[in-house]
Amino acid sequence: MEPRATCSAAAPLVERQFRVLVGVTGSVAALKLPLLVSRLLDIPGLEVAVVTTERAKHFYSPQDVPVTLYSDADEWETCVIRAWDRSKPLLFCPAMNTAMWEHPITEQQVGQLKAFGYVEIPCVAKKLVCGDQGLGAMAEVGTIVDKVKEVLSQHGAFQQN
């Protein structure tokens, strides 16, 4: 999230623009993208952009996402994260089947992201589309939106009502 000055530094907080970049990959959790983007757009002063893999588009209709979608080859994710200004918050929401979630590599990768200072919005346990019962489902949209509001509030950008 990056502040964008619209007037002077003393402008009211609601006039300040903050940008959120949502990245979505080819997981069934991509089904939640249209709702997530709509809920984020309800936050005053927030601008939302989406970068999506082509595989992710199999899980939602691009016409149902109320912002422009930017697409690239599957390596976009590592490029964006490697180029990320680490002074700005980065939140990530893992989503995968239970076997993948329980694999030791996943623990290492999540640990590495957290070591960089990135914030995990943990996955939840439920019956997954693949039939597994357990951890791996992406956090609920409301949980993600609440965490975004919390981070914005910590950066003095959002006053929760």
Side-chain angles (χ1 to χ4, degrees), residues 8-149:
S8 69
L13 293 178
V14 79
E15 289 182 19
R16 292 183 66 189
Q17 286 290 314
F18 279 78
R19 295 183 284 186
V20 171
L21 177 64
V22 176
V24 60
T25 61
S27 163
V28 71
L31 289 167
K32 297 180 180 180
L33 180 66
L35 177 59
L36 175 61
V37 170
S38 293
R39 293 278 309 274
L40 288 171
L41 289 171
D42 287 341
I43 299 173
L46 203 65
E47 179 182 315
V48 179
V50 174
V51 178
T52 182
T53 61
E54 288 302 315
R55 289 187 179 114
K57 292 179 184 177
H58 295 286
F59 296 101
Y60 65 89
S61 169
Q63 293 80 14
D64 291 338
V65 182
V67 297
T68 301
L69 298 173
Y70 300 95
S71 187
D72 197 1
D74 286 339
E75 74 270 2
W76 73 265
E77 190 172 18
T78 56
C79 293
V80 168
I81 290 173
R82 286 178 26 201
W84 195 259
D85 178 347
R86 290 181 46 208
S87 70
K88 294 180 175 56
L90 186 145
L91 288 66
F92 65 99
C93 310
M96 61 199 75
N97 73 36
T98 303
M100 292 171 71
W101 178 252
E102 292 175 348
H103 195 282
I105 290 174
T106 303
E107 183 179 354
Q108 289 175 350
Q109 292 171 336
V110 168
Q112 185 62 61
L113 291 172
K114 290 166 124 178
F116 291 147
Y118 302 153
V119 178
E120 177 187 13
I121 301 176
C123 61
V124 296
K126 69 180 208 178
K127 183 166 183 155
L128 305 174
V129 173
C130 65
D132 288 353
Q133 177 72 40
L135 284 171
M138 187 176 81
E140 294 299 321
V141 167
T143 302
I144 297 168
V145 170
D146 287 346
K147 189 63 175 181
V148 169
K149 287 178 180 178

Side-chain angles (χ1 to χ4, degrees), residues 11-14 16 18 149-159:
L13 293 178
V14 79
R16 292 183 66 189
F18 279 78
K149 287 178 180 178
E150 178 186 322
V151 169
L152 288 172
S153 177
Q154 291 169 353
H155 286 70
F158 179 72
Q159 300 289 320

